[in-house]
Amino acid sequence: MALWHGYRPELLTDFYQFTMAASYWKEGMRGRAAFSLFIRDLPPHRAYFVSAGLQSLLAFLDDFHFDASSIQYLRSLGRFPEGFLKYLESVRFTGTVRAIPEGRIFFPNEPILEVTAPIVEGQLLETLIINTLHLEILVATKASRCVHAARGRPLIDFSPRRTHGVDAALKTARSSFLTGFIGTSNVLAGQMYGIPVFGTMAHSYITSFLREMDAFRAYAAAFPDNTVLLLDTYDTLSAAEKAVVIARELQAQGKKLRGVRLDSGDLTRLSSQVRELFCRHGFSDLAIMASGNLDEYRVEELLQSGAHIDLFGIGTRLGVSADAPYLDMAYKLVEYDGRPVLKLSPGKKTWVGEKQVFRSYDPSGLMEYDILGLKQEKHPGAEPLLEPVVVQGRRTAAEESLAEIRARFRADWERLPEEYKKLRPEKIYPVRPSDPLLALQDRVRHSRVAEEIGS
């Protein structure tokens, strides 16, 4: 497996995964295990999640193995028997993964993916799986809310400077693009994922010149076909007047000023004043962009207040999902060696067995309810969401393009009822456990209580 920013991904795990794996090995436990990944609860003001990150995970699984440097490090800890380390040298992922495809909408307690594999393989992957999918689902969900709040206006990811590391910056660009952003300021993400890149100028560019107009003219000379001017370095309305001059100078060259950006102040008032100024001078089609601590709530507020903003740069609050910075995501054993298992911890109970999510639609084609059932169940007329993506250690299909994932998200979004798209939803989408699942859950629960506690 290739290095990721200098690290071995197979070692991106909690230490107890190795201690459990070593014990499984010592006990001769080679049975088939099923693990289910799900999110327990909705964060505040959320009604759904967007599946994302699966392609990133599959790339890790393609070549999952422990190389000599990883084995040597584990040996240096002095905690594991040599036989176990020799065993790890031969470990590859040989199991099956069923997952909800990227771009699809799902809900709490529905399995995002299920892994079936020899128990050591499935156990060692827990931390890597959660770490890989958590961020992309978190950001994709928030980005979809920003897109909805913008009412059709384009959005650009401006987050890389304040995301939590290189990987977070890249995955924010990807996850926001798959849910409808038009591009990113992150050049590396543009190269890696084929996402359109955008950028204007910083305040430091303007302050490096003696006069603001000198900076505007220099930038227009360098990029006459793609000039967007930042207006708020000194005085926004004065800068807007200068932008009119630049627009006329470009017009005389057969070129066109693309637009301006507002990054601070009363964006509703300033955007209205700048729009009025541009209209008065015959440049009503100049685009006004806004940035600066924006998210879905601020975008909604601006548009409701009548702001004249044509597109938005969404940065920090997107990249760190500021209002909901984590998901209660869990990866739990649900079956071992043909025996369904569960956890009865208060507030953290799990559903037994390998499962499937069956989605039903109303006569108009909108999502109506989901059924959480056992894998082998049949629900005629309902759509099963989990699909096999890895079988016996091999992918079932080539890597999907972002265009395909964007189209899938758009199709699901159009089928999600409006009441669940609200930034402050009042209803929870219905997810119903099936009768066979409830019956199995009850049998296993009674059996475990009787055996572990006594009748």
Side-chain angles (χ1 to χ4, degrees):
M1 187 180 294
L3 289 173
W4 179 242
H5 304 317
Y7 301 98
R8 301 292 311 176
E10 64 271 21
L11 294 183
L12 178 59
T13 191
D14 296 294
F15 185 67
Y16 76 173
Q17 309 291 7
F18 282 109
T19 59
M20 288 187 288
S23 180
Y24 291 146
W25 170 82
K26 185 174 185 297
E27 294 296 320
M29 295 175 66
R30 305 288 192 267
R32 174 180 174 274
F35 292 87
S36 186
L37 180 76
F38 58 95
I39 300 170
R40 291 190 177 98
D41 299 304
L42 288 161
H45 308 309
R46 301 291 195 275
Y48 64 88
F49 302 109
V50 179
S51 177
L54 182 60
Q55 295 299 322
S56 303
L57 175 62
L58 295 181
F60 288 136
L61 295 184
D62 279 344
D63 188 32
F64 184 81
H65 74 282
F66 293 88
D67 74 351
S69 65
S70 296
I71 297 296
Q72 182 54 40
Y73 171 71
L74 293 172
R75 181 177 288 114
S76 74
L77 300 176
R79 300 284 292 276
F80 302 108
E82 190 63 27
F84 173 65
L85 298 176
K86 290 293 185 183
Y87 165 72
L88 286 182
E89 291 177 355
S90 66
V91 167
R92 302 291 186 273
F93 182 70
T94 62
T96 294
V97 179
R98 295 179 304 114
I100 296 178
E102 288 195 272
R104 298 223 61 174
I105 290 169
F106 68 98
F107 303 96
N109 292 304
E110 297 182 339
I112 307 158
L113 62 74
E114 291 200 333
V115 173
T116 55
I119 193 167
V120 169
E121 295 175 25
Q123 192 71 68
L124 289 174
L125 287 171
E126 175 179 0
T127 307
L128 180 62
I129 288 174
I130 295 177
N131 182 273
T132 302
L133 296 185
H134 178 270
L135 175 69
E136 294 201 52
I137 290 172
L138 185 73
V139 174
T141 303
K142 186 168 183 67
S144 71
R145 290 161 54 82
C146 293
V147 172
H148 183 58
R151 304 179 191 173
R153 292 164 179 80
L155 303 179
I156 300 169
D157 160 43
F158 271 15
S159 70
R161 287 178 293 174
R162 296 197 184 104
T163 51
H164 297 159
V166 174
D167 191 45
L170 294 170
K171 298 305 170 51
T172 296
R174 183 184 185 276
S175 298
S176 59
F177 185 71
L178 73 83
T179 50
F181 277 46
I182 66 168
T184 180
S185 66
N186 187 331
V187 179
L188 180 57
Q191 180 196 41
M192 289 181 62
Y193 303 124
I195 299 172
V197 293
F198 295 87
T200 58
M201 60 180 65
H203 297 97
S204 58
Y205 176 81
I206 293 172
T207 58
S208 71
F209 288 80
L210 286 175
R211 300 176 184 83
E212 186 174 51
M213 181 60 92
D214 294 340
F216 285 179
R217 283 197 169 114
Y219 197 87
F223 301 101
D225 296 311
N226 193 32
T227 300
V228 178
L229 303 174
L230 179 60
L231 298 187
D232 70 325
T233 304
Y234 303 115
D235 179 84
T236 298
L237 295 181
S238 175
E241 294 279 4
K242 298 183 183 79
V244 170
V245 175
I246 298 298
R248 287 175 176 156
E249 292 176 354
L250 286 170
Q251 191 176 60
Q253 303 169 33
K255 305 292 184 180
K256 181 180 179 180
L257 178 64
R258 295 284 300 277
V260 298
R261 177 162 69 98
L262 307 177
D263 192 55
S264 62
D266 184 340
L267 294 178
T268 298
R269 176 180 60 82
L270 290 171
S271 65
S272 299
Q273 291 175 326
V274 169
R275 173 66 68 212
E276 189 279 328
L277 174 66
F278 289 165
C279 289
R280 182 161 25 101
H281 288 283
F283 294 102
S284 59
D285 60 343
L286 282 182
I288 298 176
M289 180 181 191
S291 57
N293 293 318
L294 302 182
D295 62 6
E296 67 268 42
Y297 303 108
R298 185 75 178 115
V299 168
E300 181 182 62
E301 177 186 307
L302 286 167
L303 296 181
Q304 287 180 345
S305 68
H308 289 266
I309 297 171
D310 301 300
L311 67 160
F312 295 90
I314 312 293
T316 302
R317 294 184 183 182
L318 169 69
V320 301
S321 190
D323 68 312
Y326 74 95
L327 301 172
D328 191 7
M329 182 178 286
Y331 177 90
K332 298 300 178 183
L333 182 70
V334 296
E335 184 174 302
Y336 177 63
D337 206 16
R339 173 175 56 89
V341 301
L342 51 66
K343 175 180 175 181
L344 296 175
S345 308
K348 294 187 176 182
K349 296 179 182 179
T350 60
W351 288 103
V352 297
E354 295 181 71
K355 291 173 287 297
Q356 178 61 275
V357 179
F358 302 91
R359 177 157 295 164
S360 291
Y361 300 88
D362 67 18
S364 67
L366 294 178
M367 298 178 194
E368 188 171 24
Y369 61 87
D370 287 3
I371 296 174
L372 178 62
L374 296 171
K375 175 186 173 184
Q376 65 270 22
E377 289 182 37
K378 303 295 182 183
H379 290 268
E383 178 191 19
L385 298 190
L386 279 84
E387 301 176 0
V389 293
V390 177
V391 175
Q392 295 182 342
R394 295 184 178 276
R395 289 201 204 194
T396 60
E399 181 174 351
E400 291 188 302
S401 70
L402 277 177
E404 292 173 302
I405 298 170
R406 277 166 65 94
R408 181 183 296 126
F409 169 74
R410 176 49 52 187
D412 250 23
W413 183 256
E414 290 174 355
R415 292 178 290 194
L416 181 68
E418 289 297 323
E419 58 200 334
Y420 306 115
K421 296 177 181 178
K422 294 178 180 178
L423 298 191
R424 295 171 178 83
E426 299 174 356
K427 295 185 65 176
I428 296 175
Y429 183 84
V431 178
R432 308 169 183 171
S434 70
D435 289 341
L437 176 59
L438 285 171
L440 180 61
Q441 183 85 359
D442 194 51
R443 287 199 303 273
V444 175
R445 180 176 63 82
H446 282 296
S447 172
R448 297 315 301 158
V449 169
E451 186 168 336
E452 299 296 338
I453 302 175
S455 302

